């Protein structure tokens, strides 16, 4: 059965902008984007990434972004922290939630965070411990759950194993990333079926990229499995710098339209998200890739 409500986790300020080619997006633009998203009723926003600025230059102003946002009550502003250094930096600006990110593919783990899957899990343990001390919640990601740009097919058993490790380490939620957007609905459903045997379904999130235009179909398949947390990026922004050819997350506007049609509650104002998508893509010099945004247009 489909869930009656869905928690939407907005990715555009982080996953959306981390791979933006060309000039660094101004800090003020990132802050304005985050504030507009919160005003549209989005309650979970991945706002920044405390990674090495040598690896991901677009996220080099994470401290300034997190310190600069006017926080709304009831909104969680989260950030990526791949190691203790990232977490310590995040704690200086009072984050209440962070995320560690691993992968179900060895080759991707090496390219993305410069260590093996096992090493990454060992590296995350002190991050979770320190976060617990600081009263900060930790989310976990598993990348390449439906395919890897270097290894091709990925076994669902491997996804389930890494998700279980993150969950048992203390991640309150594990987000399953189709990093390069190659999945199809039956594969997505099978991946969830395997993973839910290790992590209760209510703690699993779907993080699908739309490279092949399959993200909405895949989301419908996993909604039917009972997944009730969806990661999405306004205007379909983004891609991962260590996954060549990967396009953005599924567009928030498209997810909201799908959920509205299914009678599933989110509490988010679709038209306000559409306006935000037109605004940010104008800043970046293009148009939203969301079909719903293009169809509905500005009010
Ligand atoms: P490393 O080079 O192995 O790290 O990188 P190191 O510990 O050897 O340190 C090397 C240098 O980096 C040192 O500086 C450290 O201080 C610095 P130096 O002495 O050379 O001047 N450093 C840092 N600086 C700032 N913040 C930090 C930090 N850590 C070390 N946190 C590391 C390892 C993990 C840092 C690196 O590989 C990295 O930053 N990777 C990030 C890659 C990334 O951000 N990818 C995109 C996000 S993941 C994603 O998009 C997928 C997702 O959306 C889900 C999906 O779609 O599947 C989440
Ligand atoms: Mg992603």
């Amino acid at each position: 059965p489909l869930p009656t409500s869905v928690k939407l986790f907005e990715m555009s300020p982080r996953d959306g902008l981390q791979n933006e080619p060309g000039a660094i997006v101004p800090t003020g633009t990132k802050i304005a984007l985050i504030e507009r998203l919160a005003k549209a009723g989005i309650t979970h926003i991945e706002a920044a990434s405390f990674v090495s600025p040598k690896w991901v230059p677009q996220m080099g102003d994470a401290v300034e972004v997190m310190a600069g946002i006017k926080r709304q009550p009831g909104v969680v502003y989260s950030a990526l922290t791949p190691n203790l250094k990232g977490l310590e930096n995040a704690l200086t600006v009072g984050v209440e939630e962070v995320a560690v990110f691993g992968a179900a593919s060895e080759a991707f783990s090496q390219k993305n965070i410069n260590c093996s899957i096992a090493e990454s899990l060992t590296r995350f343990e002190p991050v979770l411990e320190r976060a617990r001390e600081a009263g900060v919640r930790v989310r976990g990601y598993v990348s390449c759950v439906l395919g890897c740009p270097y290894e091709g097919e990925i076994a669902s058993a491997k996804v389930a194993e890494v998700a279980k490790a993150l969950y048992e380490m203390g991640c309150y939620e594990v987000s399953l990333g189709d990093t390069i957007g190659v999945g199809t609905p039956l594969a997505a459903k099978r991946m969830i079926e395997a993973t839910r045997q290790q992590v209760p379904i209510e703690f699993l999130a779907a993080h699908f990229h739309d490279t092949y235009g399959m993200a909405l179909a895949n989301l419908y398949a996993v909604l039917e499995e009972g997944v009730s947390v969806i990661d999405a990026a306004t205007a379909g922004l983004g891609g991962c710098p260590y996954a060549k050819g990967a396009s953005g997350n599924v567009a928030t506007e498209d997810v909201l339209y799908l959920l509205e049609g299914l009678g599933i509650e989110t509490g988010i104002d679709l038209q306000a998200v559409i306006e935000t998508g037109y605004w940010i893509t104008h800043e970046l010099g293009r148009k939203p890739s969301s079909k719903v945004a293009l169809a509905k247009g500005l009010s």
Side-chain angles (χ1 to χ4, degrees):
L2 293 167
T4 53
S5 72
V6 156
K7 174 176 117 185
L8 187 130
F9 212 127
E10 173 65 34
M11 293 287 139
S12 59
R14 195 279 302 172
D15 211 350
L17 295 181
Q18 69 182 8
N19 199 34
E20 188 60 26
I24 301 290
V25 178
T27 305
T29 304
K30 292 172 182 165
I31 292 171
L33 172 62
I34 294 161
E35 291 181 348
R36 280 172 192 246
L37 293 165
K39 219 166 144 204
I42 297 178
T43 55
H44 291 75
I45 304 173
E46 201 160 79
S49 186
F50 291 88
V51 295
S52 161
K54 282 184 201 138
W55 285 62
V56 185
Q58 278 290 4
M59 296 286 105
D61 56 354
V63 164
E64 291 78 8
V65 170
M66 291 303 287
I69 33 184
K70 205 177 291 138
R71 298 190 197 190
Q72 295 298 324
V75 178
V76 175
Y77 304 89
S78 179
L80 294 189
T81 56
N83 52 19
L84 266 180
K85 184 176 172 106
L87 177 61
E88 292 298 347
N89 289 342
L91 290 175
T92 65
V93 282
V95 286
E96 52 184 308
E97 181 173 322
V98 297
V100 294
F101 47 104
S105 149
E106 282 296 348
F108 185 79
S109 181
Q110 289 290 351
K111 298 266 187 200
N112 195 45
I113 51 175
N114 205 24
C115 64
S116 70
I117 297 171
E119 282 163 350
S120 76
L121 296 172
T122 306
R123 195 181 280 179
F124 297 154
E125 296 225 11
V127 177
L128 273 114
E129 206 170 300
R130 178 76 185 95
R132 205 175 297 120
E133 274 170 26
V136 167
R137 297 210 301 176
V138 184
R139 194 175 203 231
Y141 284 97
V142 185
S143 282
C144 298
V145 301
L146 294 172
C148 169
Y150 311 104
E151 291 183 8
E153 255 182 70
I154 295 294
S156 286
K158 189 69 194 175
V159 178
E161 180 192 318
V162 178
K164 178 181 192 232
L166 291 171
Y167 180 65
E168 289 188 340
M169 208 182 280
C171 291
Y172 81 91
E173 185 170 282
V174 178
S175 178
L176 302 166
D178 182 10
T179 316
I180 52 170
V182 289
T184 49
L186 195 54
K189 181 174 140 75
R190 288 187 177 139
M191 182 275 295
I192 293 294
E193 279 168 356
T195 307
R196 72 184 301 171
Q197 291 176 31
Q198 304 298 337
V199 179
I201 191 83
E202 62 267 35
F203 304 124
L204 292 175
H207 178 109
F208 294 163
H209 286 255
D210 202 28
T211 319
Y212 286 78
M214 292 291 115
L216 282 178
N218 297 342
L219 280 178
Y220 187 68
V222 304
L223 280 167
E224 282 195 314
E225 290 292 306
V227 169
S228 62
V229 185
I230 294 177
D231 297 357
T234 292
L237 290 182
C240 177
Y242 297 98
K244 272 228 170 324
S247 73
N249 294 90
V250 65
T252 302
E253 300 91 318
D254 297 357
V255 173
L256 293 176
Y257 185 83
L258 171 70
L259 295 175
E260 275 183 23
L262 294 170
I264 298 174
E265 293 288 330
T266 62
I268 299 166
D269 178 349
L270 170 58
Q271 192 59 40
V273 175
I274 290 174
E275 312 281 327
T276 301
Y278 273 97
W279 168 77
I280 185 63
T281 49
H282 180 76
E283 294 292 309
L284 301 172
R286 51 181 190 271
K287 287 239 152 31
S289 71
S290 158
K291 292 231 170 179
V292 170
L294 296 175
K296 284 191 174 277
L298 292 167
S299 63

